Amino acid sequence: MEESQQQTVNEQPSYWTSVGIAALIFGILYFAISLIGGYAMINSEPSGSMFGNMNQTVSSSIACLVGICGAILAIWHYSKTYGGLSITLGKGALIGLYVAIATAIVVTVLNQFWNVIDPTYTERLMDSMIANFEAMEGVPEGQKQQMVDSIASEFKNSNTLWGITKGFLMNTVILGIGNLITGMIGAKIFGKDEG
């Protein structure tokens, strides 16, 4: 019996193609939505809101929601390609985690590529965020200055090795948690029930 189960486990086809396809599609979508939100913030007047420009906030939220759906696509593709597979919740979560890591890699590479295409993007985004903080009313000047200094320091370090790594890790954590959950949902929807 154990030999038969081991043979079934060994015969499971690889899910890496499905992970790669989902990560590429959702990495590009996540990057594009974030970029659109960034340019919307750059081209708008400072609102003085604690959360920044509403367009930026909405686009960031949409980008995150889109980014966490990659696992569902990967599991759907994997299940469709190799029909009739049994996909456990654990395997769904694992596929989701791999999709998140690969998506974060795609987004990091695209961000660095965009810095070559538009080298002023980061600086203009920083200036827009600083202008928004400076437009806040009812906030003491000392606190405003601390926020401005913090943003300036964050953006200044964003293109260093540590800044790039930090951005990658933050994306991995955010996308990882969401894709773990959607991976389990995808396994429940698209995986064949055992037994």
Side-chain angles (χ1 to χ4, degrees), residues 112 115 119-127 129-130 147-167:
Q112 295 313 304
N115 284 333
T120 64
Y121 173 75
T122 303
E123 187 176 334
R124 290 186 296 150
L125 188 60
M126 177 188 71
D127 292 342
M129 291 180 83
I130 288 173
M147 290 189 291
V148 166
D149 292 344
S150 172
I151 287 293
S153 171
E154 193 71 32
F155 273 93
K156 180 182 165 194
N157 295 324
S158 67
N159 286 328
T160 64
L161 181 59
W162 169 242
I164 294 167
T165 304
K166 186 176 170 185

Side-chain angles (χ1 to χ4, degrees), residues 139-149:
V139 178
E141 287 302 317
Q143 190 176 352
K144 278 186 194 179
Q145 191 57 48
Q146 283 180 336
M147 290 189 291
V148 166
D149 292 344

Side-chain angles (χ1 to χ4, degrees), residues 71 78 108 119-120 172:
Y78 181 59
T108 301
T120 64
T172 301

